[in-house]
Amino acid sequence: MSTPTLSGPRQPAASGARAKQLIVLLHGYGADGDDLFGLVPVLAPHFPDAAFVSPNAPFRCGMGFGYEWFPLQDRSAATIAAGVQMARPILNAFLDAELAGHGLDDSQMALVGFSQGTMMALDVGLRRRKALAGIVGYSGRLVPAGDLATEIVSRPPVLMVHGDADPLVLVADMHQAVSTLKANGVNVEGYVRPGLPHSIDEGGLVLAQAFLKRCLPDG
């Protein structure tokens, strides 16, 4: 069975020159690349040398509209872990192709995920041979898809932001992720946004801008 090829909206570096950085946006369950691509007008002015891409997840959503990285009809831990493992090589192949197309390497790429996209960003980002510049995870959690202690290959810095009024992915999941990442030697920051549901707010975007400024190389 061939690996699905991902596609979605993209934007070249605003500088007009060859991109020195790559920021990949990974949407949540039932959305599409256009959904998270809405962050680009906010982020791009701060990163004129960065190209942006926001791929659609590989599968049509099984419950409603949009796309999914893995099914959620069965929300058992084992099924979700299997889903993450299934999607892992698909996302890795996309990232490899994007880096090759821009002439960049992992140290010049950051992943920004939301919800299910955060789960994928953390899973893939900690298992790539070379460390990414950084990972931003909104409203997500760390899926125990295997033994992280033995499977972790690289330790990019991680920023996690979560609303304490999130009814879909509980803020306790973020705290658990932060604890597990720290235990595995990852430099991770976790921020709780008061009163925020399953969403991204202006304060969370400000945190991401500052974090990515610190992480992404100038080229």
Side-chain angles (χ1 to χ4, degrees):
M1 183 177 178
S2 61
T3 300
T5 300
L6 306 185
S7 64
R10 59 178 65 245
Q11 179 173 298
S15 66
R18 183 184 71 83
K20 299 177 182 178
Q21 306 156 343
L22 177 63
I23 298 177
V24 182
L25 307 165
L26 304 176
H27 68 77
Y29 181 81
D32 60 19
D34 287 321
D35 182 62
L36 217 55
F37 201 69
L39 300 182
V40 173
V42 179
L43 294 174
H46 301 275
F47 303 95
D49 294 319
F52 292 82
V53 61
S54 186
N56 297 323
F59 309 109
R60 283 286 181 180
C61 185
M63 295 190 295
F65 302 100
Y67 296 85
E68 63 186 22
W69 294 98
F70 51 87
L72 284 179
Q73 288 93 329
D74 178 354
R75 294 174 183 259
S76 68
T79 299
I80 291 176
V84 169
Q85 291 171 327
M86 172 187 64
R88 185 187 299 160
I90 301 171
L91 180 54
N92 268 321
F94 174 79
L95 298 178
D96 290 342
E98 288 295 312
L99 289 173
H102 288 287
L104 301 174
D105 67 23
D106 286 63
S107 69
Q108 298 163 297
M109 175 172 66
L111 304 183
V112 178
F114 176 75
S115 193
Q116 200 179 60
T118 293
M119 300 175 201
M120 291 306 307
L122 291 172
D123 179 84
V124 166
L126 299 174
R127 290 171 172 83
R128 287 182 66 84
R129 182 181 56 82
K130 186 171 183 179
L132 305 174
I135 299 172
V136 176
Y138 291 109
S139 302
R141 62 188 180 93
L142 182 67
V143 175
D147 182 4
L148 182 61
T150 60
E151 294 181 7
I152 190 168
V153 176
S154 56
R155 292 170 172 80
V158 174
L159 169 71
M160 297 196 72
V161 184
H162 211 115
D164 64 5
D166 190 336
L168 299 179
V169 182
L170 301 181
V171 69
D173 291 320
M174 186 204 76
H175 291 306
Q176 180 60 53
V178 169
S179 176
T180 301
L181 291 171
K182 285 182 177 179
N184 282 276
V186 177
N187 181 4
V188 55
E189 306 169 37
Y191 293 91
V192 176
R193 301 296 302 154
L196 183 70
H198 196 63
S199 185
I200 301 172
D201 67 356
E202 183 178 355
L205 286 173
V206 170
L207 289 167
Q209 290 165 12
F211 174 80
L212 292 172
K213 278 287 186 184
R214 297 195 302 270
C215 296
L216 284 165
D218 292 331

